[in-house]
Amino acid sequence: MIIDGHSHVTLPVEAHIKAMDKSGVDKTVLFSTSFHPEVAEDAQGVKEAMYFLNDLLAGKKGSMVEIREKANAELVMAIEQHPSRYIGFGGVPAGLDLETTKQFIHDNVKKHNLAGMGEFTFGTGQVHLMENVFKSTLEFNNMPIWIHAFFPLNMQDIKAIAELAKQYPRTPVILGHLGGSNWLDTLALAKEIPNLYLDTSAYYSTFVLGIVINELPQKCIFGVDRPFGDIQLSLDALRSVAKTPDVAKAVLGENMAKLLKL
Amino acid sequence: MIIDGHSHVTLPVEAHIKAMDKSGVDKTVLFSTSFHPEVAEDAQGVKEAMYFLNDLLAGKKGSMVEIREKANAELVMAIEQHPSRYIGFGGVPAGLDLETTKQFIHDNVKKHNLAGMGEFTFGTGQVHLMENVFKSTLEFNNMPIWIHAFFPLNMQDIKAIAELAKQYPRTPVILGHLGGSNWLDTLALAKEIPNLYLDTSAYYSTFVLGIVINELPQKCIFGVDRPFGDIQLSLDALRSVAKTPDVAKAVLGENMAKLLKL
């Protein structure tokens, strides 16, 4: 079974399903989004979408709770259209008090049978905002947590995430994008900490991608990060650098299937 | 003519020429290197090579002048073996006084008929060290300059490079890796400044790669960044996102051929 372990809702949903069919992807772990650069009519539209995202992440677009709720509703709608093809991870605002966090997870994630939480994206020095999310997983069946770990996170931030993973050893933590330019030290952490996994999306070097997946095939999870990545190009790259068919099989689906008990 | 506009000397050289042949790449603009992760026997070897590079860039491995000279000698040797396939860009230490810079360029670049200078790689806040290199180009036929513009450079650094490009309007400046995560503002600078170009290597999103090359096809230059990138996967990605054959043709060779007067 081939699983894209990380893509966002892209519109129209049918075009995504068609692209999965064409490339032979059985299931996609789907994440919500608060902007849709893929529907922009031209480069100017994409720019506006990107600047909107920047403002959003900088807190200039109002309540993150409302934004997450709206994005989750869109996610749930997409999954309801294709329940056999999509598995959802729900967006949860970080930095809320424990009770509010639990309530949000209950209403937005648990109630809709989503399988995990993420993508968490924050600025450098903000990892402590994740504390209550981690604490909450104890009550939600140790639901996996997916954290963006490329720019602007630095190695200190990634180490702080690793510390949380150690404190909550039954909660799987997926670090996005191989840790970005900190891939070498991130790889060492994923080797050491049993519940820490690496997502392969947004690789900027296929040489690095090859080193990491062949060194730690049981802890790497294939991701496309649509709309930013392309399904077929990502599959081609992964298959091209995997040293054995078993490495490719593990990364392209088996690891995620095991993690989500599919 | 298909030109890989940015790759480093990789060993054995014959394997590179074979890979170029296989993918239909006519010429490669070749850059020197001070380390060879591609010949590491295993992941441990790659790690040692990467840590060596980190130490090198942090100034812990002694004189950059000697290191550059040694790397340039290896570059020149590779070009002498395949003069019809390789065009060289010579490594030049930044931060030297004007006379020493000129002498270095004369002895290491001009004397060997190399076509440009780079890859310049430095930490954030260090762009001013390039001043004498830019000044020197006036005496060396406005030789193009190639600057790494991904992590750790930030937007301030990229703006500082853009200012230098404006001050030396006859010197072509190629910004590596689309400006990394600052691609959107970097694209705007490349649009505005006639002698500022964008190298496509180390893209981390094929969606972004598509936006940039289709928005500014005459200023983008295909690069593989071997050993970190793979020739065939890079070609496939570029062709897949180019909206027209003309865009692909410009980026895959025409622009670099014009810039180097091939």
Side-chain angles (χ1 to χ4, degrees):
Chain A
M1 182 160 56
I2 295 187
I3 304 173
D4 166 9
H6 180 67
S7 274
H8 296 274
V9 176
T10 49
L11 303 176
V13 168
E14 295 313 318
H16 185 197
I17 299 293
K18 255 194 201 163
M20 286 167 62
D21 288 344
K22 200 174 162 198
S23 299
V25 170
D26 300 288
K27 289 180 189 290
T28 291
V29 181
L30 200 64
F31 293 69
S32 68
T33 184
S34 33
F35 78 128
H36 286 287
E38 76 278 10
V39 298
E41 286 190 9
D42 53 18
Q44 184 55 33
V46 172
K47 276 179 237 173
E48 283 161 19
M50 298 304 302
Y51 284 124
F52 171 83
L53 177 68
N54 289 347
D55 283 353
L56 188 77
L57 294 176
K60 292 181 192 165
K61 291 286 171 188
S63 158
M64 280 310 280
V65 174
E66 275 171 41
I67 286 161
R68 291 272 177 238
E69 281 172 347
K70 202 177 143 204
N72 281 337
E74 186 186 55
L75 170 75
V76 168
M77 204 152 54
I79 297 170
E80 279 170 359
Q81 284 172 52
H82 297 280
S84 68
R85 308 300 296 280
Y86 284 146
I87 301 156
F89 267 44
V92 173
L96 303 177
D97 67 67
L98 186 59
E99 282 316 304
T100 314
T101 303
K102 283 183 195 169
Q103 192 64 47
F104 190 98
I105 295 171
H106 179 269
D107 296 348
N108 290 271
V109 182
K110 184 74 189 164
K111 214 171 76 183
H112 299 294
N113 293 314
L114 303 185
M117 293 185 278
E119 172 174 4
F120 292 94
T121 306
F122 31 72
T124 179
Q126 304 291 306
V127 170
H128 63 276
L129 297 175
M130 289 295 295
E131 186 85 45
N132 286 338
V133 175
F134 272 83
K135 240 177 226 162
S136 302
T137 62
L138 301 178
E139 287 186 27
F140 291 101
N141 208 18
N142 304 301
M143 202 179 264
I145 292 176
W146 205 107
I147 305 175
H148 173 97
F150 204 165
F151 178 87
L153 291 210
N154 60 30
M155 198 57 218
Q156 277 311 103
D157 301 312
I158 294 174
K159 279 184 187 160
I161 297 168
E163 280 310 308
L164 281 168
K166 277 188 193 172
Q167 270 179 56
Y168 297 88
R170 302 189 61 181
T171 301
V173 179
I174 305 170
L175 284 177
H177 323 306
L178 301 171
S181 50
N182 296 296
W183 64 273
L184 203 52
D185 294 328
T186 304
L187 171 62
L189 290 172
K191 252 188 181 176
E192 177 204 335
I193 304 169
N195 55 321
L196 198 60
Y197 295 81
L198 302 175
D199 152 82
T200 67
S201 70
Y203 56 82
Y204 59 89
S205 157
T206 42
F207 178 77
V208 167
L209 178 66
I211 295 296
V212 176
I213 67 163
N214 291 303
E215 173 97 354
L216 206 54
Q218 303 309 320
K219 301 293 284 295
C220 291
I221 293 172
F222 175 63
V224 170
D225 203 5
R226 188 179 160 103
F228 292 103
D230 174 87
I231 301 178
Q232 191 60 51
L233 292 171
S234 304
L235 276 173
D236 291 348
L238 200 125
R239 286 182 175 131
S240 147
V241 300
K243 276 190 187 160
T244 69
D246 279 353
V247 167
K249 245 171 109 177
V251 179
L252 286 174
E254 283 176 357
N255 297 342
M256 193 51 141
K258 209 180 289 176
L259 203 149
L260 297 180
K261 302 181 185 79
L262 298 181
Chain B
M1 181 160 56
I2 296 187
I3 304 173
D4 166 8
H6 180 66
S7 274
H8 296 275
V9 176
T10 49
L11 304 176
V13 168
E14 293 314 318
H16 185 196
I17 298 294
K18 257 193 198 163
M20 286 168 62
D21 287 343
K22 201 175 163 199
S23 299
V25 170
D26 300 289
K27 289 181 191 287
T28 291
V29 181
L30 200 63
F31 292 69
S32 68
T33 185
S34 33
F35 77 129
H36 285 287
E38 76 279 9
V39 297
E41 287 191 8
D42 52 20
Q44 184 56 32
V46 171
K47 277 180 234 173
E48 282 161 19
M50 297 306 300
Y51 284 124
F52 171 83
L53 177 68
N54 290 346
D55 284 354
L56 188 77
L57 294 176
K60 293 181 191 166
K61 290 287 173 188
S63 158
M64 282 308 279
V65 174
E66 275 171 40
I67 287 161
R68 291 272 178 240
E69 281 172 346
K70 202 177 144 203
N72 281 337
E74 186 186 55
L75 170 74
V76 168
M77 205 152 53
I79 297 169
E80 280 171 359
Q81 284 172 52
H82 297 280
S84 68
R85 308 300 295 281
Y86 285 146
I87 299 155
F89 268 44
V92 173
L96 302 177
D97 67 66
L98 186 59
E99 281 316 305
T100 314
T101 303
K102 283 183 195 169
Q103 190 64 47
F104 190 98
I105 296 170
H106 179 269
D107 295 348
N108 290 270
V109 182
K110 186 72 190 165
K111 215 171 77 184
H112 299 294
N113 293 312
L114 303 184
M117 293 185 279
E119 173 175 4
F120 291 94
T121 306
F122 32 72
T124 179
Q126 303 292 305
V127 170
H128 63 274
L129 297 176
M130 290 295 296
E131 186 84 45
N132 287 338
V133 175
F134 272 84
K135 239 178 228 165
S136 301
T137 62
L138 301 179
E139 288 187 26
F140 291 100
N141 208 18
N142 303 302
M143 204 180 262
I145 291 176
W146 206 106
I147 305 175
H148 173 97
F150 204 165
F151 178 86
L153 290 212
N154 61 30
M155 198 57 217
Q156 277 312 101
D157 300 314
I158 293 173
K159 278 183 188 159
I161 297 169
E163 280 310 309
L164 280 168
K166 278 187 192 171
Q167 272 179 54
Y168 297 88
R170 303 189 61 179
T171 301
V173 178
I174 306 169
L175 284 176
H177 323 306
L178 301 169
S181 49
N182 296 297
W183 64 272
L184 203 50
D185 295 328
T186 304
L187 171 62
L189 289 172
K191 253 188 181 177
E192 176 203 336
I193 303 169
N195 54 322
L196 198 60
Y197 295 81
L198 303 174
D199 151 82
T200 68
S201 70
Y203 55 84
Y204 59 89
S205 158
T206 43
F207 178 76
V208 167
L209 178 66
I211 295 296
V212 177
I213 68 163
N214 291 302
E215 174 97 353
L216 205 53
Q218 303 309 322
K219 301 292 286 293
C220 292
I221 293 171
F222 174 64
V224 170
D225 202 6
R226 187 180 160 106
F228 292 103
D230 174 88
I231 300 176
Q232 191 61 52
L233 292 170
S234 304
L235 276 173
D236 291 348
L238 200 125
R239 287 183 175 131
S240 148
V241 299
K243 276 189 188 161
T244 68
D246 279 352
V247 168
K249 245 172 109 180
V251 179
L252 286 175
E254 283 176 358
N255 297 342
M256 193 50 140
K258 208 180 291 174
L259 203 147
L260 297 181
K261 304 181 183 80
L262 297 181

